[in-house]
Amino acid sequence: MPRTNGERTPARPTSVRQHQRHARILRVAARLGAEHGLERMQMHDVARESGVAIATLYRYFPSKPHLFAAVMHDQVLRMEAETPPPPPGTEAAEAVGDLLTGASRRLFEQPLLALAMMQSGNVSTTGTDRRSRTTDEILADLVLRTAGVAEPTERDRSVARILEQAWYGLLTTVLYERASHREALDGIRLACRLLLRPV
């Protein structure tokens, strides 16, 4: 597991130009991560292909885990923005199962990038901004919205968190080649049925 720099808080982009630069870095990191994975990807290559100085890259992302955690955060934000509400009458377990199995298939297409993001998932991407939602919070909100829960209770949020953890665990078994894609997808569907059944 790569060593993270826990002492430096990542800088946050503020201007339009900084946001564009930040987004460009994430796109390049996602592409290079898909080709090389966490260990073999070099920060100098990301800086060069993004057109930024290496010091700028490290100001936003103090380590490769910080960078890949930000890539994951960005991808979950895009998934949230691009996911339409389920058709009326769709059962919660089916809707959330479709959401998570669809996301899983996309991750399985780029296993090195998926593994890099999973290995980096414990690094915070929100810095000191307490208003920013974490990757886990965004995903839990998306699960609840997809399940049709408009006003979630604490129990609803606990179920969403447990389901999210089950999903991560099943993804990891595939990425470490301990289970097949089919076994993981079936496990995700089963977890949704067990956790989202009416009480």
Side-chain angles (χ1 to χ4, degrees), residues 25-79:
I25 291 169
L26 294 180
R27 286 194 302 272
V28 169
R31 181 173 55 77
L32 293 179
E35 294 174 9
H36 305 295
L38 181 67
E39 296 294 339
R40 292 181 53 226
M41 192 204 74
Q42 299 299 315
M43 294 290 269
H44 281 280
D45 293 336
V46 176
R48 185 183 67 252
E49 296 196 28
S50 302
V52 301
I54 190 68
T56 300
L57 177 63
Y58 276 112
R59 185 159 54 88
Y60 290 127
F61 310 104
S63 67
K64 285 194 283 186
H66 282 89
L67 178 56
F68 280 114
V71 170
M72 185 172 188
H73 188 80
D74 181 63
Q75 293 201 1
V76 170
L77 275 174
R78 281 193 282 119
M79 184 170 76

Side-chain angles (χ1 to χ4, degrees), residues 91-94 147 155-156 159 163 189-199:
E91 290 187 2
E94 180 185 352
R155 181 189 182 280
D156 292 327
V159 167
L163 183 54
R189 293 278 185 191
L190 177 59
C192 290
R193 289 195 299 272
L194 292 173
L195 291 169
L196 297 174
R197 63 186 176 187
V199 294

Side-chain angles (χ1 to χ4, degrees), residues 27-198:
R27 286 194 302 272
V28 169
R31 181 173 55 77
L32 293 179
E35 294 174 9
H36 305 295
L38 181 67
E39 296 294 339
R40 292 181 53 226
M41 192 204 74
Q42 299 299 315
M43 294 290 269
H44 281 280
D45 293 336
V46 176
R48 185 183 67 252
E49 296 196 28
S50 302
V52 301
I54 190 68
T56 300
L57 177 63
Y58 276 112
R59 185 159 54 88
Y60 290 127
F61 310 104
S63 67
K64 285 194 283 186
H66 282 89
L67 178 56
F68 280 114
V71 170
M72 185 172 188
H73 188 80
D74 181 63
Q75 293 201 1
V76 170
L77 275 174
R78 281 193 282 119
M79 184 170 76
E80 179 187 47
E82 295 168 1
T83 299
T90 307
E91 290 187 2
E94 180 185 352
V96 176
D98 288 345
L99 171 74
L100 296 181
T101 56
S104 300
R105 288 187 180 96
R106 290 189 294 275
L107 289 169
F108 294 156
E109 291 172 359
Q110 297 183 310
L112 291 178
L113 175 59
L115 187 56
M117 292 189 298
M118 300 295 285
Q119 290 172 327
S120 304
N122 63 338
V123 174
S124 173
T125 60
T126 59
T128 58
D129 186 355
R130 300 299 180 189
R131 296 168 299 174
S132 297
R133 292 183 298 162
T134 66
T135 303
D136 289 343
E137 288 168 342
I138 295 165
L139 185 56
D141 287 346
L142 179 55
V143 164
L144 292 168
R145 188 185 83 192
T146 303
V149 181
E151 297 182 11
T153 64
E154 189 53 43
R155 181 189 182 280
D156 292 327
R157 294 197 177 279
S158 294
V159 167
R161 285 193 296 269
I162 293 167
L163 183 54
E164 183 181 342
Q165 291 162 0
W167 181 53
Y168 285 160
L170 289 162
L171 287 177
T172 302
T173 64
V174 173
L175 296 173
Y176 282 109
E177 300 180 346
R178 296 182 187 133
S180 69
H181 292 191
R182 175 48 51 200
E183 288 171 325
L185 296 176
D186 289 347
I188 291 166
R189 293 278 185 191
L190 177 59
C192 290
R193 289 195 299 272
L194 292 173
L195 291 169
L196 297 174
R197 63 186 176 187

